[in-house]
Amino acid sequence: MSATETEQVTTNDHQSLATVFTDYRTRVRGGDVGALPALAGVVVLAIVFTVLSGKDFTNAYNFSNLVLQGSAYAVFAMGLVFVLLLGEIDLSAGYTGGVCAAFVGKLMNDHGFNWVLALLGGLVLGAFVGLVIGLLVSKLGVPSFVVTLAFFLALQGVLLLMTGAGGTIPYRDSHVLAIMNKNMPLWLGWTFAVVTVVAFAALGFSRRLQRQRAGLQAPPLLVWALKSAAFTAVLLAATAYPSRERSRNVFLASLKGVPIVVVIVAGLLVFLTFLLTRTAWGRHVYAVGGNAEAARRAGINVSRVKISCFMMCSTLAAVGGVLLASRTNSVNPQTGGSYVLLFAVGSAVIGGTSLFGGRGRVLDGILGAIVITTIINGMTLQGQSQGRVYMITGLVLLLAASVDAVSRRRAAASGRV
């Protein structure tokens, strides 16, 4: 390539980069804010609690504790994203997770099931609960709020019968307990991080080439490089921090490495994002959430889409329930109850998923869970009461819902929806 051609390509790339930023600013002003509020919230909260708590908040032990605290909320929230995309709600997700976790414990303790088969049994039960809810909503036309409220009450009773008043179902299998209580070896954590970074950069570059070959507008190479560099910096830093010794007493036990649950959450994120963005089913979910009647006239089986989303939500709730039980080593009558559902719904909405349907990503559940967990963790370190934690979390959720409403109104005014 000649010097003149190289200069022309560079000039075009810079022009394209300027256009990208201009388009992004226009989209934000038009109501398409995406995950920007959640990301800004994480940054602000991290700065505030770092100033207030210092090393108590920023040390490696607390960082890993944040990951463990937020993992279950993130999984519940990822499942709720699918229901919220339809403009529906699932109030029973928390207790669905609790009942499925209790079922897993019963299979292992009372029936001698292998831990793998027991976990599969819990997932099947979760899918069945979602199937029943989906059928009632899509076939009978009962509002999802009413159906899932009924399941919320019924499953709470089922969990109480399974555990007994004040009783517990212990988790004894080392494999299941390791999910939330063990860390990967240092070499495996770093290998996972490097592979993830390479895959992220490769997929981004591949999508860019595909758009170019299809004659579509593609972001400039510099944008891809900046995104890849930012992702690499964040992920490697997040891997390096828990890889440091964080045990309070190294003579009793050493704590190093990335928690095992991180791989599970990351795997779910990749798989579920692929389903939503790279399959016909995912496109149908967005279409039904945007306008169910238009989707029906376009030949989409709306009932089937709704049933599948409720099944997805309940299946992921089963995963979240097992994570909760793994961390506490048992299932009790409050597993999946109390504030779990509220924090899960809040995570999805705070992360950027619209309550009106048709807009959201699986990643939103994780981002929102980070915000909520940071608030809980930071305020607890400050010695604030549980009541104040709930109040602040509620205000953040209300702010996120308000941003969603304003963004949607701006998007309608600008013709984006």
Side-chain angles (χ1 to χ4, degrees):
M1 181 180 292
S2 66
T4 303
E5 291 174 332
T6 302
E7 182 179 355
Q8 182 64 38
V9 170
T10 303
T11 301
N12 290 339
D13 196 56
H14 282 303
Q15 290 174 346
S16 300
L17 183 60
T19 302
V20 168
F21 283 113
T22 301
D23 290 344
Y24 178 72
R25 185 173 59 184
T26 302
R27 290 202 308 271
V28 171
R29 289 179 175 178
D32 186 9
V33 296
L36 185 60
L39 292 173
V42 171
V43 173
V44 171
L45 288 171
I47 294 174
V48 169
F49 288 127
T50 298
V51 171
L52 294 177
S53 302
K55 291 185 178 180
D56 288 340
F57 179 76
T58 59
N59 65 72
Y61 180 84
N62 192 56
F63 179 81
S64 298
N65 193 39
L66 275 169
V67 172
L68 295 176
Q69 285 180 328
S71 296
Y73 299 149
V75 173
F76 276 106
M78 285 192 286
L80 283 162
V81 165
F82 288 88
V83 175
L84 292 174
L85 281 173
L86 302 176
E88 305 284 358
I89 189 65
D90 186 352
L91 300 176
S92 66
Y95 277 116
T96 297
V99 169
C100 291
F103 185 63
V104 170
K106 289 283 189 180
L107 290 179
M108 291 189 294
N109 298 337
D110 299 346
H111 303 284
F113 273 55
N114 174 275
W115 67 277
V116 175
L117 294 178
L119 291 178
L120 289 176
L123 295 179
V124 170
L125 177 59
F128 176 74
V129 172
L131 173 64
V132 176
I133 293 174
L135 287 172
L136 291 172
V137 172
S138 63
K139 297 298 184 180
L140 293 185
V142 183
S144 58
F145 180 88
V146 176
V147 173
T148 57
L149 179 59
F151 270 76
F152 170 87
L153 297 172
L155 291 174
Q156 186 176 5
V158 171
L159 181 59
L160 185 59
L161 290 175
M162 293 179 73
T163 59
T168 62
I169 299 175
Y171 270 32
R172 301 188 181 95
D173 188 273
S174 59
H175 298 90
V176 180
L177 293 176
I179 296 174
M180 293 288 280
N181 296 287
K182 297 293 183 181
N183 306 305
M184 291 184 287
L186 293 181
W187 67 268
L188 185 57
W190 281 108
T191 301
F192 175 74
V194 172
V195 170
T196 303
V197 164
V198 173
F200 179 85
L203 287 174
F205 191 76
S206 175
R207 286 196 295 267
R208 183 175 180 275
L209 288 179
Q210 289 176 356
R211 292 185 65 85
Q212 286 180 331
R213 290 170 182 169
L216 301 174
Q217 184 179 5
L221 192 62
L222 183 57
V223 171
W224 167 80
L226 290 174
K227 285 184 177 180
S228 299
F231 180 80
T232 301
V234 171
L235 187 60
L236 294 184
T239 303
Y241 214 43
S243 295
R244 301 161 55 187
E245 180 61 61
R246 57 182 186 272
S247 175
R248 300 295 176 88
N249 191 337
V250 295
F251 297 104
L252 294 178
S254 177
L255 286 177
K256 290 182 180 179
V258 178
I260 292 175
V261 70
V262 171
V263 179
I264 297 175
V265 175
L268 287 173
L269 172 63
V270 172
F271 175 68
L272 297 175
T273 299
F274 174 82
L275 286 181
L276 269 183
T277 61
R278 298 292 175 179
T279 66
W281 176 79
R283 292 190 291 272
H284 292 171
V285 172
Y286 282 108
V288 172
N291 190 320
E293 183 58 32
R296 182 179 290 106
R297 293 182 179 182
I300 296 174
N301 191 323
V302 175
S303 295
R304 186 178 301 171
V305 170
K306 287 188 176 182
I307 291 172
S308 63
C309 284
F310 277 104
M311 291 179 67
M312 182 69 75
C313 179
S314 294
T315 303
L316 288 170
V319 177
V322 171
L323 294 185
L324 291 174
S326 174
R327 188 158 191 246
T328 59
N329 299 347
S330 64
V331 180
N332 61 66
Q334 291 302 314
T335 299
S338 186
Y339 49 79
V340 173
L341 174 69
L342 302 179
F343 285 168
V345 174
S347 295
V349 175
I350 291 171
T353 298
S354 176
L355 289 167
F356 302 97
R359 188 173 65 191
R361 302 173 301 170
V362 178
L363 180 61
D364 294 342
I366 296 179
L367 293 175
I370 294 174
V371 173
I372 286 182
T373 306
T374 302
I375 293 173
I376 297 171
N377 181 274
M379 293 189 68
T380 301
L381 290 176
Q382 287 294 304
Q384 299 296 329
S385 66
Q386 196 69 23
R388 286 177 177 158
V389 172
Y390 287 158
M391 289 172 61
I392 296 299
T393 306
L395 288 174
V396 172
L397 176 57
L398 181 61
L399 178 62
S402 301
V403 170
D404 177 33
V406 172
S407 298
R408 193 171 184 85
R409 188 164 62 244
R410 286 188 176 182
S414 61
R416 293 182 180 274
V417 294

Coordinates of all heavy atoms in Angstrom, one line a residue, residues 285-337:
V285 N -37.7 -13.0 20.7 CA -37.9 -12.4 22.1 C -38.0 -10.9 22.0 O -38.9 -10.3 22.6 CB -36.8 -12.9 23.0 CG1 -36.9 -12.2 24.4 CG2 -36.8 -14.4 23.2
Y286 N -37.1 -10.3 21.4 CA -37.1 -8.8 21.3 C -38.3 -8.3 20.5 O -38.9 -7.3 20.8 CB -35.8 -8.3 20.6 CG -34.6 -8.3 21.5 CD1 -33.6 -9.2 21.3 CD2 -34.5 -7.4 22.5 CE1 -32.5 -9.2 22.1 CE2 -33.4 -7.3 23.3 CZ -32.4 -8.3 23.1 OH -31.3 -8.3 24.0
A287 N -38.7 -9.1 19.5 CA -39.8 -8.7 18.7 C -41.1 -8.8 19.5 O -42.0 -7.8 19.4 CB -40.0 -9.6 17.4
V288 N -41.3 -9.8 20.2 CA -42.5 -10.0 21.1 C -42.5 -8.9 22.2 O -43.6 -8.3 22.4 CB -42.6 -11.4 21.7 CG1 -43.7 -11.5 22.7 CG2 -42.7 -12.4 20.6
G289 N -41.4 -8.6 22.7 CA -41.3 -7.6 23.8 C -41.6 -6.2 23.2 O -42.2 -5.4 23.9
G290 N -41.2 -6.0 22.0 CA -41.4 -4.7 21.4 C -42.8 -4.4 21.0 O -43.4 -3.4 21.2
N291 N -43.4 -5.4 20.4 CA -44.8 -5.4 19.9 C -45.3 -6.8 19.7 O -45.1 -7.3 18.6 CB -45.0 -4.5 18.7 CG -46.4 -4.2 18.3 OD1 -47.3 -5.0 18.5 ND2 -46.7 -2.9 17.9
A292 N -46.1 -7.3 20.6 CA -46.5 -8.7 20.5 C -47.4 -8.9 19.3 O -47.4 -9.9 18.6 CB -47.2 -9.1 21.8
E293 N -48.3 -8.0 19.1 CA -49.3 -8.1 18.0 C -48.6 -8.1 16.7 O -48.9 -8.9 15.8 CB -50.4 -7.0 18.1 CG -51.5 -7.2 17.0 CD -52.2 -8.5 17.1 OE1 -52.3 -9.0 18.2 OE2 -52.6 -9.0 16.0
A294 N -47.6 -7.2 16.5 CA -46.9 -7.1 15.3 C -46.1 -8.4 15.1 O -45.9 -8.9 13.9 CB -46.0 -5.9 15.3
A295 N -45.5 -8.9 16.1 CA -44.7 -10.2 16.1 C -45.6 -11.3 15.6 O -45.3 -12.2 14.8 CB -44.1 -10.5 17.4
R296 N -46.9 -11.3 16.2 CA -47.8 -12.4 15.8 C -48.2 -12.3 14.3 O -48.2 -13.4 13.6 CB -49.1 -12.3 16.7 CG -50.1 -13.4 16.4 CD -51.3 -13.3 17.3 NE -51.0 -13.6 18.7 CZ -50.9 -12.7 19.7 NH1 -51.1 -11.4 19.4 NH2 -50.6 -13.0 20.9
R297 N -48.4 -11.1 13.8 CA -48.7 -11.0 12.4 C -47.6 -11.3 11.5 O -47.7 -11.6 10.3 CB -49.2 -9.5 12.2 CG -50.5 -9.2 12.9 CD -51.0 -7.8 12.5 NE -52.2 -7.5 13.2 CZ -52.9 -6.3 13.1 NH1 -52.4 -5.4 12.3 NH2 -54.0 -6.1 13.7
A298 N -46.3 -11.2 12.1 CA -45.2 -11.5 11.3 C -44.9 -13.1 11.3 O -43.9 -13.5 10.7 CB -43.9 -10.8 11.8
G299 N -45.7 -13.8 11.9 CA -45.6 -15.3 11.9 C -44.9 -15.9 13.1 O -44.6 -17.0 13.1
I300 N -44.6 -15.0 14.1 CA -43.9 -15.5 15.3 C -44.9 -16.2 16.3 O -45.9 -15.6 16.5 CB -43.1 -14.4 16.0 CG1 -42.0 -13.8 15.1 CG2 -42.5 -14.8 17.3 CD1 -41.3 -12.6 15.6
N301 N -44.5 -17.3 16.8 CA -45.4 -18.0 17.8 C -45.2 -17.3 19.1 O -44.3 -17.7 19.9 CB -45.0 -19.5 17.8 CG -46.0 -20.3 18.6 OD1 -46.6 -19.8 19.6 ND2 -46.3 -21.5 18.2
V302 N -46.0 -16.4 19.4 CA -45.8 -15.6 20.6 C -46.0 -16.4 21.9 O -45.2 -16.2 22.8 CB -46.9 -14.4 20.6 CG1 -46.8 -13.6 21.9 CG2 -46.6 -13.5 19.5
S303 N -46.9 -17.3 21.9 CA -47.1 -18.2 23.1 C -45.8 -19.0 23.4 O -45.4 -19.1 24.5 CB -48.3 -19.1 22.9 OG -49.5 -18.4 22.8
R304 N -45.3 -19.5 22.3 CA -44.1 -20.4 22.5 C -42.9 -19.5 23.0 O -42.2 -20.0 23.9 CB -43.7 -21.0 21.2 CG -42.5 -22.0 21.3 CD -42.3 -22.7 20.0 NE -43.5 -23.4 19.5 CZ -43.6 -23.9 18.2 NH1 -42.6 -23.7 17.4 NH2 -44.7 -24.5 17.9
V305 N -42.8 -18.3 22.5 CA -41.7 -17.5 23.0 C -41.9 -17.1 24.5 O -40.9 -17.2 25.3 CB -41.6 -16.2 22.2 CG1 -40.7 -15.2 22.8 CG2 -41.2 -16.5 20.7
K306 N -43.1 -16.8 24.9 CA -43.4 -16.5 26.3 C -43.1 -17.6 27.2 O -42.5 -17.5 28.2 CB -44.8 -16.0 26.4 CG -45.1 -14.6 25.9 CD -46.5 -14.1 26.2 CE -46.7 -12.7 25.7 NZ -48.0 -12.2 26.1
I307 N -43.6 -18.8 26.8 CA -43.3 -20.0 27.6 C -41.8 -20.3 27.8 O -41.3 -20.6 28.9 CB -44.0 -21.2 27.0 CG1 -45.5 -21.1 27.0 CG2 -43.6 -22.5 27.7 CD1 -46.3 -22.1 26.3
S308 N -41.1 -20.2 26.7 CA -39.6 -20.4 26.7 C -38.9 -19.4 27.6 O -38.0 -19.8 28.3 CB -39.1 -20.4 25.3 OG -39.2 -19.1 24.7
C309 N -39.4 -18.2 27.6 CA -38.7 -17.2 28.5 C -39.0 -17.4 30.0 O -38.1 -17.2 30.8 CB -39.2 -15.8 28.1 SG -38.4 -15.1 26.6
F310 N -40.2 -17.8 30.3 CA -40.5 -18.1 31.7 C -39.7 -19.4 32.1 O -39.3 -19.5 33.3 CB -42.0 -18.3 31.9 CG -42.8 -17.1 32.1 CD1 -43.5 -16.5 31.1 CD2 -42.7 -16.4 33.3 CE1 -44.2 -15.3 31.2 CE2 -43.4 -15.2 33.5 CZ -44.2 -14.7 32.4
M311 N -39.6 -20.3 31.2 CA -38.8 -21.5 31.5 C -37.3 -21.2 31.7 O -36.7 -21.7 32.7 CB -38.9 -22.6 30.4 CG -40.3 -23.2 30.3 SD -40.4 -24.4 29.0 CE -39.3 -25.7 29.5
M312 N -36.8 -20.3 30.9 CA -35.4 -19.8 31.1 C -35.3 -19.1 32.4 O -34.3 -19.3 33.1 CB -35.1 -18.9 29.9 CG -33.6 -18.4 30.0 SD -32.4 -19.7 29.6 CE -32.7 -19.8 27.8
C313 N -36.2 -18.3 32.8 CA -36.1 -17.5 34.1 C -36.1 -18.5 35.2 O -35.3 -18.4 36.2 CB -37.3 -16.6 34.2 SG -37.3 -15.6 35.7
S314 N -37.0 -19.5 35.2 CA -37.1 -20.4 36.4 C -35.9 -21.3 36.4 O -35.5 -21.7 37.5 CB -38.4 -21.2 36.3 OG -39.5 -20.4 36.4
T315 N -35.4 -21.7 35.3 CA -34.2 -22.6 35.2 C -33.0 -21.9 35.8 O -32.2 -22.4 36.6 CB -33.9 -23.1 33.8 OG1 -35.0 -23.7 33.3 CG2 -32.7 -24.0 33.8
L316 N -32.8 -20.6 35.4 CA -31.7 -19.8 36.0 C -32.0 -19.5 37.5 O -31.0 -19.4 38.3 CB -31.5 -18.5 35.2 CG -31.0 -18.7 33.8 CD1 -31.0 -17.4 33.0 CD2 -29.5 -19.1 33.9
A317 N -33.2 -19.4 37.9 CA -33.5 -19.3 39.3 C -33.1 -20.5 40.1 O -32.6 -20.4 41.2 CB -35.0 -19.1 39.5
A318 N -33.2 -21.7 39.5 CA -32.7 -22.9 40.1 C -31.2 -22.8 40.3 O -30.7 -23.2 41.4 CB -33.1 -24.1 39.3
V319 N -30.5 -22.3 39.3 CA -29.0 -22.2 39.4 C -28.7 -21.2 40.6 O -27.9 -21.4 41.4 CB -28.4 -21.7 38.1 CG1 -26.9 -21.4 38.3 CG2 -28.7 -22.7 37.0
G320 N -29.5 -20.1 40.6 CA -29.2 -19.1 41.7 C -29.5 -19.7 43.1 O -28.8 -19.4 44.0
G321 N -30.5 -20.5 43.2 CA -30.9 -21.1 44.4 C -29.7 -22.0 44.9 O -29.4 -22.1 46.1
V322 N -29.2 -22.8 44.0 CA -28.1 -23.7 44.4 C -26.8 -22.9 44.8 O -26.1 -23.2 45.7 CB -27.7 -24.6 43.2 CG1 -26.4 -25.4 43.5 CG2 -28.8 -25.6 42.9
L323 N -26.6 -21.7 44.2 CA -25.5 -20.9 44.6 C -25.7 -20.3 46.0 O -24.8 -20.3 46.8 CB -25.3 -19.7 43.6 CG -24.9 -20.0 42.2 CD1 -24.7 -18.7 41.4 CD2 -23.7 -20.9 42.1
L324 N -26.9 -19.9 46.3 CA -27.2 -19.5 47.7 C -27.0 -20.6 48.7 O -26.4 -20.4 49.7 CB -28.7 -19.0 47.8 CG -29.0 -17.7 47.0 CD1 -30.5 -17.5 47.1 CD2 -28.3 -16.5 47.6
A325 N -27.5 -21.8 48.4 CA -27.3 -22.9 49.3 C -25.8 -23.3 49.4 O -25.4 -23.7 50.5 CB -28.1 -24.1 48.8
S326 N -25.1 -23.2 48.3 CA -23.7 -23.6 48.3 C -22.9 -22.7 49.3 O -22.0 -23.1 50.0 CB -23.1 -23.6 46.9 OG -21.7 -23.8 46.9
R327 N -23.3 -21.4 49.3 CA -22.5 -20.4 50.1 C -22.8 -20.6 51.6 O -22.0 -20.4 52.4 CB -22.9 -19.0 49.7 CG -22.0 -18.0 50.3 CD -22.0 -16.7 49.6 NE -20.9 -15.8 50.1 CZ -21.2 -14.7 50.7 NH1 -22.4 -14.2 50.9 NH2 -20.2 -13.9 51.2
T328 N -24.1 -21.0 51.9 CA -24.4 -21.1 53.3 C -24.4 -22.6 53.7 O -24.7 -22.9 54.9 CB -25.9 -20.6 53.5 OG1 -26.8 -21.3 52.7 CG2 -26.0 -19.1 53.2
N329 N -24.0 -23.5 52.8 CA -23.9 -24.9 53.1 C -25.2 -25.6 53.4 O -25.2 -26.7 53.9 CB -22.9 -25.2 54.3 CG -21.5 -24.7 54.0 OD1 -21.2 -24.4 52.8 ND2 -20.7 -24.7 55.0
S330 N -26.3 -25.0 53.2 CA -27.6 -25.6 53.5 C -28.8 -24.8 52.8 O -28.6 -23.6 52.3 CB -27.9 -25.6 55.0 OG -27.9 -24.3 55.5
V331 N -29.9 -25.3 52.9 CA -31.2 -24.7 52.4 C -32.0 -24.5 53.7 O -32.2 -25.4 54.5 CB -31.9 -25.5 51.4 CG1 -33.2 -24.8 51.0 CG2 -31.1 -25.8 50.2
N332 N -32.6 -23.3 53.8 CA -33.5 -23.0 55.0 C -34.8 -22.4 54.4 O -34.9 -22.1 53.2 CB -32.8 -22.1 56.0 CG -32.4 -20.8 55.4 OD1 -33.3 -20.0 55.0 ND2 -31.1 -20.5 55.3
P333 N -35.8 -22.2 55.3 CA -37.1 -21.7 54.8 C -37.0 -20.3 54.1 O -37.9 -19.9 53.4 CB -37.9 -21.6 56.0 CG -37.3 -22.6 56.9 CD -35.9 -22.6 56.7
Q334 N -35.9 -19.6 54.3 CA -35.7 -18.3 53.7 C -34.8 -18.2 52.5 O -34.6 -17.2 51.9 CB -35.2 -17.3 54.7 CG -36.2 -17.0 55.9 CD -37.5 -16.4 55.3 OE1 -37.5 -15.5 54.5 NE2 -38.6 -16.9 55.8
T335 N -34.3 -19.4 52.1 CA -33.5 -19.4 50.9 C -34.2 -19.0 49.6 O -35.2 -19.6 49.3 CB -32.9 -20.9 50.7 OG1 -32.1 -21.3 51.8 CG2 -32.0 -20.9 49.4
G336 N -33.8 -17.9 49.0 CA -34.5 -17.4 47.8 C -35.6 -16.4 48.2 O -36.2 -15.8 47.3
G337 N -35.9 -16.3 49.5 CA -37.0 -15.4 49.9 C -36.4 -14.1 50.4 O -35.3 -13.6 50.0

